[in-house]
Amino acid sequence: MRIVDIRELAVPLEGAVANAVVNFSEHTVSLVAVVTDVIRDGKPVIGLGFNSIGRFAQSGIIRTRMIPRLLGADPVSLLAEGGQCFDAAKVLATLLRNEKPGGHGDRAGAAAAIEQAIWDLNAKLADEPAYVTIARAFGREPVATPVEVYTGGGYYYAPGTGRTLRDEFLSYREMGFESFKMKIGGAPLAQDMKRVEEALQVAGSPDRLMVDANGRFDLPTALAYARELKPLGLRWFEEIGDPLDYQLNRDVIEAYGGPVATGENLFSAIDTLNLVRFGGMRPGRDIFQMDAGLSYGITEYARMIEVLESHGFDRKQAVPHGGHLINLHIVVGLGLGACEAYPGVFQPFGGYSSECEIRNAKVRPSDAAGFGLEQKRELVPFIRTLKD
């Protein structure tokens, strides 16, 4: 058994939504297909993966550095013991050959796109959903228990567009969601607080509303927002300042008191270690949002979970950023806290397939082999392009 081809396609994200820092109208995502010489029903078994939402496609790194390394490796060196599947850790090590330590930026997403395609591939070789493959690989019992899901959204709408924050959240409620996250930091504090009040009217309870500053705030601004938000008792205050400013995170936690969430822009286990050492995060209270698709894949993400647990945190405090099918399988397979979803935005990757029904604010993966990306209607044309 061997890998015979690896293909990458930069897919544009649909929609022109924006947060306090980024407009996503120019963003792309790397969709990857790993093709094997295993033939079933007259077709090769192919693993699919992508590098998550919120960063750009990594076509150059994938095509010029990582694909040649993997295709040039001894095929046997990539296999797990017994030769019935691929060893994702060995694949990742091959992808990173001759890469220096540190600098966990774009290459982390490039490697993740391929590494996660290996997990999809292994699940298809075993003819099982990816969460089963993931759970078994890390010594867990594979159980398809529905997990809590909340919506990422709450964007800014210009006057006269015919859409408001309230409209957006009401549409999510009709889809079966009960908890909502909104953007802040893209307007003056007084205006943002009016938006929070508008969102609370739909959420109905502060423990069903989260606010996300997308790393925008310096310390004085963060503390000003913290003072206004503190009495509300929101579920969490997310990405307050620069993701590597651990002192700012600690200072705001001490002043704010309520739960905070961060980590989606940390791409390695060592960065996670520094966050728990210096960022003021509290066991049983705060939320870690690292995203395997931006962080070298599931192999490195599992190391992040080990870091959390070895420092007294519960894996239920891990709620990955991303809002897509791959992270749904990771949450279920590793027994994490909850899932994000992007209903109606960040297509063709955001949200889940119709086979993953949202009911009572919970979701579970379908029974499709792998991540079930082929069941996501919006992705089908791009998958077909890669396969053909």
Side-chain angles (χ1 to χ4, degrees):
M1 181 169 63
R2 63 184 296 161
I3 296 169
V4 298
D5 196 13
I6 304 171
R7 306 163 187 167
E8 185 271 347
L9 180 67
V11 180
L13 289 180
E14 296 178 7
V17 297
N19 58 39
V21 178
V22 174
N23 185 301
F24 292 94
S25 60
E26 298 179 357
H27 272 228
T28 52
V29 173
S30 282
L31 179 64
V32 170
V34 176
V35 185
T36 70
D37 62 355
V38 179
I39 305 299
R40 291 183 181 170
D41 299 323
K43 298 179 181 180
V45 179
I46 298 176
L48 298 169
F50 57 85
N51 67 314
S52 196
I53 297 164
R55 297 272 163 172
F56 288 93
Q58 302 304 325
S59 305
I61 297 175
I62 290 172
R63 296 185 183 192
T64 63
R65 281 155 52 186
M66 295 189 171
I67 289 178
R69 290 169 185 163
L70 206 55
L71 293 180
D74 179 356
V76 176
S77 71
L78 304 176
L79 298 178
E81 185 176 352
Q84 300 303 305
C85 66
F86 293 88
D87 187 316
K90 292 179 181 178
V91 168
L92 180 60
T94 301
L95 294 174
L96 297 179
R97 181 174 52 83
N98 287 334
E99 299 279 345
K100 282 188 174 182
H104 305 292
D106 286 348
R107 74 176 182 195
I114 299 175
E115 195 266 6
Q116 292 190 145
I118 296 297
W119 289 92
D120 184 67
L121 176 59
N122 282 341
K124 288 171 177 173
L125 290 170
D127 194 25
E128 63 190 14
Y131 74 84
V132 176
T133 305
I134 293 167
R136 186 171 55 247
F138 295 102
R140 300 183 60 83
E141 182 70 24
V143 180
T145 304
V147 294
E148 182 192 357
V149 62
Y150 71 91
T151 64
Y155 299 101
Y156 289 92
Y157 297 97
T161 59
R163 186 166 172 79
T164 67
L165 178 64
R166 177 181 173 82
D167 294 333
E168 181 187 352
F169 280 5
L170 285 174
S171 69
Y172 296 159
R173 182 175 290 283
E174 292 175 359
M175 296 177 191
F177 296 99
E178 296 179 3
S179 295
F180 315 91
K181 185 170 73 178
M182 61 175 288
K183 304 302 182 183
I184 59 172
L189 174 56
Q191 183 179 338
D192 266 343
M193 291 308 298
K194 290 181 180 178
R195 295 175 63 253
V196 171
E197 292 172 6
E198 181 182 4
L200 278 171
Q201 291 176 3
V202 180
S205 174
D207 62 357
R208 293 181 177 178
L209 181 66
M210 302 80 96
V211 294
D212 182 2
N214 291 106
R216 172 91 183 250
F217 297 151
D218 58 16
L219 183 57
T221 307
L223 292 174
Y225 269 81
R227 283 192 294 270
E228 296 295 321
L229 294 170
K230 183 175 182 178
L232 300 181
L234 302 181
R235 183 165 179 180
W236 69 64
F237 183 4
E238 178 174 330
E239 284 283 300
I240 301 166
D242 187 289
L244 295 179
D245 193 340
Y246 301 129
Q247 186 64 55
L248 181 150
N249 198 72
R250 175 184 289 274
D251 289 345
V252 176
I253 283 176
E254 292 176 356
Y256 177 58
V260 304
T262 191
E264 72 179 67
N265 290 301
L266 302 181
F267 305 147
S268 68
I270 189 64
D271 283 337
T272 303
L273 178 59
N274 282 331
L275 175 61
V276 301
R277 281 173 170 169
F278 308 118
M281 303 292 278
R282 299 157 295 183
R285 189 153 180 80
D286 298 313
I287 301 299
F288 294 88
Q289 298 175 305
M290 292 79 71
D291 181 350
L294 303 176
S295 311
Y296 298 101
I298 296 171
T299 301
E300 183 75 1
Y301 185 80
R303 294 169 183 157
M304 295 176 176
I305 299 301
E306 290 177 4
V307 167
L308 296 184
E309 292 188 322
S310 68
H311 286 76
F313 296 90
D314 191 302
R315 66 177 55 214
K316 294 292 185 182
Q317 292 180 251
V319 179
H321 157 271
H324 51 69
L325 276 167
I326 294 179
N327 279 349
L328 172 59
H329 281 266
I330 293 172
V331 168
V332 174
L334 294 181
L336 308 181
C339 280
E340 186 174 23
Y342 292 137
V345 294
F346 299 137
Q347 297 305 322
F349 298 94
Y352 311 126
S353 64
S354 58
E355 287 79 3
C356 302
E357 183 181 7
I358 309 293
R359 180 179 297 178
N360 298 323
K362 293 189 176 182
V363 63
R364 57 169 291 173
S366 76
D367 294 328
F371 294 123
L373 299 182
E374 293 89 345
Q375 291 182 332
K376 194 160 193 314
R377 176 179 53 82
E378 299 88 347
L379 264 177
V380 169
F382 303 101
I383 293 173
R384 186 179 298 120
T385 296
L386 276 182
K387 288 186 174 182
D388 293 345

